PDB file of all heavy atoms in Angstrom:
ATOM      1  N   THR I 123     186.462  75.728 147.472  1.00 91.00           N
ATOM      2  CA  THR I 123     187.347  76.871 147.558  1.00 91.00           C
ATOM      3  C   THR I 123     186.952  77.413 148.959  1.00 91.00           C
ATOM      4  O   THR I 123     185.736  77.576 149.349  1.00 91.00           O
ATOM      5  CB  THR I 123     187.003  77.912 146.559  1.00 91.00           C
ATOM      6  OG1 THR I 123     187.302  77.352 145.276  1.00 91.00           O
ATOM      7  CG2 THR I 123     187.932  79.171 146.782  1.00 91.00           C
ATOM      8  N   PRO I 124     187.924  77.750 149.814  1.00 93.00           N
ATOM      9  CA  PRO I 124     187.614  78.382 151.109  1.00 93.00           C
ATOM     10  C   PRO I 124     186.880  79.722 150.933  1.00 93.00           C
ATOM     11  O   PRO I 124     187.278  80.431 149.987  1.00 93.00           O
ATOM     12  CB  PRO I 124     188.942  78.582 151.751  1.00 93.00           C
ATOM     13  CG  PRO I 124     189.908  77.717 151.095  1.00 93.00           C
ATOM     14  CD  PRO I 124     189.352  77.516 149.705  1.00 93.00           C
ATOM     15  N   ALA I 125     185.825  79.998 151.746  1.00 93.00           N
ATOM     16  CA  ALA I 125     185.115  81.238 151.518  1.00 93.00           C
ATOM     17  C   ALA I 125     186.031  82.449 151.572  1.00 93.00           C
ATOM     18  O   ALA I 125     185.628  83.528 151.009  1.00 93.00           O
ATOM     19  CB  ALA I 125     183.974  81.333 152.638  1.00 93.00           C
ATOM     20  N   GLY I 126     187.094  82.394 152.306  1.00 91.00           N
ATOM     21  CA  GLY I 126     187.999  83.557 152.322  1.00 91.00           C
ATOM     22  C   GLY I 126     188.552  83.958 151.067  1.00 91.00           C
ATOM     23  O   GLY I 126     189.016  85.075 150.905  1.00 91.00           O
ATOM     24  N   GLU I 127     188.573  83.073 150.129  1.00 91.00           N
ATOM     25  CA  GLU I 127     189.101  83.273 148.761  1.00 91.00           C
ATOM     26  C   GLU I 127     187.961  83.769 147.799  1.00 91.00           C
ATOM     27  O   GLU I 127     188.162  84.028 146.654  1.00 91.00           O
ATOM     28  CB  GLU I 127     189.778  82.093 148.186  1.00 91.00           C
ATOM     29  CG  GLU I 127     190.998  81.675 148.926  1.00 91.00           C
ATOM     30  CD  GLU I 127     191.686  80.398 148.367  1.00 91.00           C
ATOM     31  OE1 GLU I 127     191.482  80.136 147.136  1.00 91.00           O
ATOM     32  OE2 GLU I 127     192.393  79.746 149.144  1.00 91.00           O
ATOM     33  N   LEU I 128     186.754  83.854 148.356  1.00 90.00           N
ATOM     34  CA  LEU I 128     185.588  84.304 147.534  1.00 90.00           C
ATOM     35  C   LEU I 128     185.184  85.682 148.109  1.00 90.00           C
ATOM     36  O   LEU I 128     184.488  85.704 149.082  1.00 90.00           O
ATOM     37  CB  LEU I 128     184.482  83.293 147.624  1.00 90.00           C
ATOM     38  CG  LEU I 128     184.831  81.886 147.207  1.00 90.00           C
ATOM     39  CD1 LEU I 128     183.730  80.849 147.653  1.00 90.00           C
ATOM     40  CD2 LEU I 128     185.041  81.801 145.702  1.00 90.00           C
ATOM     41  N   PRO I 129     185.504  86.756 147.448  1.00 83.00           N
ATOM     42  CA  PRO I 129     185.273  88.099 147.970  1.00 83.00           C
ATOM     43  C   PRO I 129     183.861  88.403 148.313  1.00 83.00           C
ATOM     44  O   PRO I 129     183.606  89.148 149.268  1.00 83.00           O
ATOM     45  CB  PRO I 129     185.827  88.994 146.897  1.00 83.00           C
ATOM     46  CG  PRO I 129     186.535  88.177 145.827  1.00 83.00           C
ATOM     47  CD  PRO I 129     186.157  86.749 146.130  1.00 83.00           C
ATOM     48  N   ASP I 130     182.907  87.895 147.582  1.00 86.00           N
ATOM     49  CA  ASP I 130     181.501  88.165 147.841  1.00 86.00           C
ATOM     50  C   ASP I 130     180.811  87.181 148.803  1.00 86.00           C
ATOM     51  O   ASP I 130     179.623  87.337 149.083  1.00 86.00           O
ATOM     52  CB  ASP I 130     180.728  88.130 146.526  1.00 86.00           C
ATOM     53  CG  ASP I 130     181.261  89.251 145.574  1.00 86.00           C
ATOM     54  OD1 ASP I 130     181.703  90.331 146.090  1.00 86.00           O
ATOM     55  OD2 ASP I 130     181.309  89.046 144.352  1.00 86.00           O
ATOM     56  N   ALA I 131     181.555  86.204 149.328  1.00 87.00           N
ATOM     57  CA  ALA I 131     180.878  85.235 150.235  1.00 87.00           C
ATOM     58  C   ALA I 131     180.845  85.871 151.672  1.00 87.00           C
ATOM     59  O   ALA I 131     181.852  86.361 152.102  1.00 87.00           O
ATOM     60  CB  ALA I 131     181.688  83.962 150.257  1.00 87.00           C
ATOM     61  N   ASP I 132     179.694  85.790 152.232  1.00 90.00           N
ATOM     62  CA  ASP I 132     179.500  86.365 153.599  1.00 90.00           C
ATOM     63  C   ASP I 132     179.607  85.172 154.592  1.00 90.00           C
ATOM     64  O   ASP I 132     178.531  84.885 155.294  1.00 90.00           O
ATOM     65  CB  ASP I 132     178.197  87.088 153.634  1.00 90.00           C
ATOM     66  CG  ASP I 132     178.021  87.812 154.986  1.00 90.00           C
ATOM     67  OD1 ASP I 132     179.026  88.136 155.655  1.00 90.00           O
ATOM     68  OD2 ASP I 132     176.860  88.143 155.372  1.00 90.00           O
ATOM     69  N   LEU I 133     180.710  84.461 154.604  1.00 94.00           N
ATOM     70  CA  LEU I 133     180.851  83.219 155.359  1.00 94.00           C
ATOM     71  C   LEU I 133     182.221  83.384 156.106  1.00 94.00           C
ATOM     72  O   LEU I 133     183.112  84.135 155.634  1.00 94.00           O
ATOM     73  CB  LEU I 133     180.788  82.013 154.553  1.00 94.00           C
ATOM     74  CG  LEU I 133     179.578  81.735 153.742  1.00 94.00           C
ATOM     75  CD1 LEU I 133     179.789  80.643 152.688  1.00 94.00           C
ATOM     76  CD2 LEU I 133     178.372  81.389 154.678  1.00 94.00           C
ATOM     77  N   ALA I 134     182.390  82.605 157.170  1.00 94.00           N
ATOM     78  CA  ALA I 134     183.716  82.476 157.787  1.00 94.00           C
ATOM     79  C   ALA I 134     184.790  82.078 156.762  1.00 94.00           C
ATOM     80  O   ALA I 134     184.498  81.230 155.843  1.00 94.00           O
ATOM     81  CB  ALA I 134     183.667  81.532 158.949  1.00 94.00           C
TER      82      ALA I 134
END
Side-chain angles (χ1 to χ4, degrees):
T123 300
E127 295 180 23
L128 303 168
D130 297 327
D132 189 21
L133 301 167

